[in-house]
Amino acid sequence: MGSAGRPRVRYAFAMPFLTFAVGLAAMVAASPARADFRVCNATQNLVGVGIGYRAKAGWITEGWWHIEGSSCKTLIEGPLSSRFYYLYAEDAERGGRWDGPINMCVAEKEFKIAGVSDCVARGFQRAGFQEYDTGEQASWMVQLTDDPATGGVPAAPGTNSQ
């Protein structure tokens, strides 16, 4: 018998492992994409980002997420519950911004503010947010580029990231 029987024994043990590994890889590849609202900073500068949305209790604005150059951050985890989201961002190094016509409240430091009216009277600042219609997609991504940061022109496009 000698060594003639050993390769078959090794093959017999390797085959179930290989089948399991291939099956696991297929399950991972077939799993649904992660749903969330992400912002990617395609500039080389640090950017501060605030988001606005309509919750069951009313309007909410939150910030600041600090996004390093050439990186992304998830602002809302899980499937999106609203159709419309609003974004405002500032270039922390050059002073440019990505803004829009929808006024909402922000603060100097980290914030979560209920309501969008009387910002200054309530001790906050008012900023113009850009509206993104996600079309009720479960996931969305906005990419900030150098062009809008130079003068506050309309914000970067958003896409369904699935």
Side-chain angles (χ1 to χ4, degrees), residues 123-136:
F124 303 116
Q125 299 164 0
R126 192 175 72 177
F129 283 63
Q130 179 66 40
E131 179 180 86
Y132 290 92
D133 180 351
T134 66
E136 298 180 4

Side-chain angles (χ1 to χ4, degrees), residues 6 24 44 46 55 64 84 91 93 101 103 117 143 146 162:
R6 284 192 189 137
L24 182 62
Q44 297 303 310
L46 176 67
W64 296 105
F84 296 96
D91 184 318
E93 296 172 28
N103 289 320
S117 61
Q143 182 162 313
D146 278 325
Q162 287 184 323

Side-chain angles (χ1 to χ4, degrees), residues 51-136:
I51 191 167
Y53 55 91
R54 181 105 176 145
K56 288 180 183 177
W59 289 102
I60 303 288
T61 53
E62 293 186 65
W64 296 105
W65 282 268
H66 297 115
I67 307 175
E68 297 289 335
S70 302
S71 68
C72 300
K73 280 229 173 129
T74 298
L75 277 56
I76 297 175
E77 293 185 7
L80 302 179
S81 59
S82 295
R83 178 175 175 174
F84 296 96
Y85 287 87
Y86 303 84
L87 201 71
Y88 175 80
E90 292 182 352
D91 184 318
E93 296 172 28
R94 292 188 306 156
R97 65 184 174 271
W98 294 263
D99 58 4
I102 310 299
N103 289 320
M104 296 184 165
C105 305
V106 298
E108 274 301 310
K109 307 235 184 236
E110 185 177 326
F111 63 92
K112 183 170 186 177
I113 303 169
V116 294
S117 61
D118 301 322
C119 297
V120 176
R122 294 189 298 145
F124 303 116
Q125 299 164 0
R126 192 175 72 177
F129 283 63
Q130 179 66 40
E131 179 180 86
Y132 290 92
D133 180 351
T134 66
E136 298 180 4

